[in-house]
Every structure is written in structure tokens, then in C-alpha cells.
Amino acid sequence: MDDEALGARGLVVGYRGHEVIDGLDLALMRGRITAIIGANGCGKSTLLRALSRLLPSEGTVVLDGRDTATLSTGEIARRLSVLPQGPSAPEGLTVADLVARGRYPHQKWLRQWSEADEAAVREALERTNMTAFAGRPVDELSGGQRQKAWIAMALAQRTDTVLLDEPTTYLDIGHQAEVLDLLVELNISAGRTIVLVLHDLNQAARYADRVIAMERGRIAADGTPDEVITPETLRAVFGVEAHVVADPHSGAPLVIPASVPLAVRRAAPAAS
């Protein structure tokens, strides 16, 4: 497909003989934001790692129309950047040094650090509002600041496709919105293809163009947020009953679990 940025054909991934993903086919479109959702252990992170060739797999992974088996690690890193779940930096490493690591795939024997590399790092720090923290050690930052520093490193890599595994985990609501708004801005202004694993269904519905729901290593539903975030899909994928209404602000699907609210329980008369 001409508009396919990243895809899989017959993808098989397993651990110790247990297949987590078995024969999965997927095409991720260029210039879109795709959210992958599903219950814990369904294969979301495994899929992301296999697509980025961080995990051995069978089948074919296609990046920009080419089988990744024919590409070197450096070539892949110049086309695809990955932010794994819970990344860690060496003790004392500064934000500027971490972000500069995003330029390593572009270094060659005859092309060392350049003004273009410096500009890429500067732009990444500016886009993530991390310029003021450039000289600070990463391990001294707050959770939200640390996550933005890692995103800045991925941005400095200047790839057309960016994969992020649960980028809002452990962040407060303000930093979650800041990170997701940044990804949308990158998608709109720079045309970046964004693929992210999310636990928060309402974030997936609000920020993604396309939602892929996984269940036991397979794709259970795939489409727009309105097509995927439905009571039927939530029941099948998560085993929960939920109401889905239109978000009054964005119009996107809004998930409300069908459980008894705390206020109702508190108001109920105590059992005698």
C-alpha cells in the first residue's frame, strides 16, 4: 500500500513456545494517530516491540514499503523511533545528553556531530518545553518531566513514524494531556505517523484517528473510535459492562463503567 507506513504480514511472536501473537496482519497508515487498546497481557506491547524489531518474530514486518529483514538496525532507527514502557537512563545523564542520543542513528564514520544534529536536539527540547531542563540530570526530574525528556529524544531522531508504549502511565492528568497534545501537534504540523499503546479508553477515543482493540494476541476490532469503542467491544475485550456516550466537549465516545458509583453506595441505607 502506498500510504502504509508500517505493517505486518502473518506476524507470529512467542515466548518459550507460547505464541502471544499468531498470524496477525496489520497495516498502519501514514500520517495517522493509531491507538492500540486491550486488557493486560493481550499482546499490545509485544506487537509494538515486534513491529520495531526489538523482539524476534516470524512473518514479515514492512516499514515504508520494505521488509525490515532487509534493513540494517541503523536504517530502521533512521525511519522509526520507539519509546518503550518505563525507559531508564544512566545515573547522572543530563536531559541534553539523553536527547542527543536520538541523533546516534544519523552518525557515520565520515559524518560526526553537525549543526543539523544540534538543530534537531534544540528543536526537540523546544517542542517538549524542556529547554530549561537541558542541563538537569534525568534521574532528578519529576515523572512528567522525565517522560517529556524521553519523548524529546524520540523527536530528535526525526523519524516519520513514532511508536510509544503507554506514554501517559504514572503521569498526573495535567501531564497526560500535555504529552498527548504534543503528539497531536506533531502529527498535524510535521505529518508524523503516531502509534501508541494506551490503557485509558477515553484518551484513545479522544486523541486517535484509529483504534485497534486486541484480545489474546489477535485484533478483535479495528476502526474509528466510534466503531471500536462500543459496549459490545468493551464486553468482548475487557469483560466489562459500560455505557458509551458522546463526550460533550470533543464528541468522541466517552466510556462510563456500569458500576455502582461511590456516592450511591454512601447514600444507600446500611444493611441491618
Side-chain angles (χ1 to χ4, degrees), residues 59-79:
T60 303
V61 175
V62 178
L63 175 60
D64 293 333
R66 297 180 61 184
D67 184 342
T68 57
T70 68
L71 300 174
S72 68
T73 301
E75 286 177 299
I76 293 175
R78 288 189 288 273
R79 297 167 180 262

Side-chain angles (χ1 to χ4, degrees), residues 37 211-215 218-223 227-229 233 237:
I37 63 172
V211 177
I212 296 172
M214 293 189 65
E215 195 260 337
R218 65 180 184 86
I219 295 176
D222 182 358
E227 293 170 337
V228 174
I229 308 295
T233 299
V237 172

Side-chain angles (χ1 to χ4, degrees), residues 49-60:
R49 294 183 68 196
L51 289 174
S52 58
R53 220 173 74 173
L54 293 176
L55 199 63
S57 63
E58 298 178 15
T60 303

Side-chain angles (χ1 to χ4, degrees), residues 166-227:
E166 299 184 25
T168 59
T169 299
Y170 306 125
L171 302 185
D172 61 47
I173 188 171
H175 282 108
Q176 288 180 25
E178 188 175 3
V179 165
L180 292 170
D181 287 344
L182 169 63
L183 296 176
V184 170
E185 192 273 330
L186 287 169
N187 171 257
I188 293 173
S189 66
R192 304 281 178 88
T193 301
I194 308 290
V195 183
L196 64 166
V197 169
L198 286 175
H199 270 304
D200 191 312
L201 302 182
N202 292 326
Q203 289 179 348
R206 185 170 186 173
Y207 287 93
D209 303 305
R210 174 186 179 188
V211 177
I212 296 172
M214 293 189 65
E215 195 260 337
R216 295 183 182 178
R218 65 180 184 86
I219 295 176
D222 182 358
T224 65
D226 285 316
E227 293 170 337

Side-chain angles (χ1 to χ4, degrees), residues 7-268:
R9 313 283 186 267
L11 186 68
V12 178
V13 189
Y15 299 98
R16 300 184 180 91
H18 171 64
E19 293 175 346
V20 179
I21 295 174
D22 187 7
L24 184 143
D25 294 322
L26 178 66
L28 297 168
M29 298 298 102
R30 196 176 310 281
R32 310 283 282 180
I33 298 178
T34 301
I36 303 174
I37 63 172
N40 290 341
C42 72
K44 304 184 300 295
S45 296
T46 298
L47 173 59
L48 217 64
R49 294 183 68 196
L51 289 174
S52 58
R53 220 173 74 173
L54 293 176
L55 199 63
S57 63
E58 298 178 15
T60 303
V61 175
V62 178
L63 175 60
D64 293 333
R66 297 180 61 184
D67 184 342
T68 57
T70 68
L71 300 174
S72 68
T73 301
E75 286 177 299
I76 293 175
R78 288 189 288 273
R79 297 167 180 262
L80 176 72
S81 53
V82 185
L83 180 59
Q85 188 178 153
S88 59
E91 184 177 355
L93 187 74
T94 67
V95 170
D97 288 337
L98 174 67
V99 177
R101 292 188 174 199
R103 301 304 299 165
Y104 286 5
H106 302 274
Q107 305 300 305
K108 298 179 181 178
W109 286 110
L110 298 179
R111 182 195 178 282
Q112 297 303 308
W113 192 262
S114 67
E115 291 184 5
D117 296 320
E118 195 68 40
V121 170
R122 184 169 56 250
E123 180 187 13
L125 289 169
E126 291 172 352
R127 279 185 177 273
T128 53
N129 294 319
M130 290 297 290
T131 302
F133 299 91
R136 290 271 300 277
V138 176
D139 52 13
E140 291 183 5
L141 301 178
S142 69
Q145 293 165 347
R146 194 178 303 120
Q147 188 72 329
K148 288 199 296 179
W150 281 100
I151 291 175
M153 186 193 75
L155 299 187
Q157 207 168 324
R158 284 191 174 176
T159 61
D160 290 332
T161 302
V162 184
L163 308 185
L164 306 101
D165 192 357
E166 299 184 25
T168 59
T169 299
Y170 306 125
L171 302 185
D172 61 47
I173 188 171
H175 282 108
Q176 288 180 25
E178 188 175 3
V179 165
L180 292 170
D181 287 344
L182 169 63
L183 296 176
V184 170
E185 192 273 330
L186 287 169
N187 171 257
I188 293 173
S189 66
R192 304 281 178 88
T193 301
I194 308 290
V195 183
L196 64 166
V197 169
L198 286 175
H199 270 304
D200 191 312
L201 302 182
N202 292 326
Q203 289 179 348
R206 185 170 186 173
Y207 287 93
D209 303 305
R210 174 186 179 188
V211 177
I212 296 172
M214 293 189 65
E215 195 260 337
R216 295 183 182 178
R218 65 180 184 86
I219 295 176
D222 182 358
T224 65
D226 285 316
E227 293 170 337
V228 174
I229 308 295
T230 66
E232 295 75 20
T233 299
L234 299 181
R235 186 180 304 116
V237 172
F238 295 95
V240 300
E241 296 295 331
H243 303 290
V244 179
V245 300
D247 185 324
H249 179 70
S250 67
L254 180 66
V255 177
I256 303 173
S259 58
V260 180
L262 180 60
V264 174
R265 297 202 302 272
R266 285 175 173 168

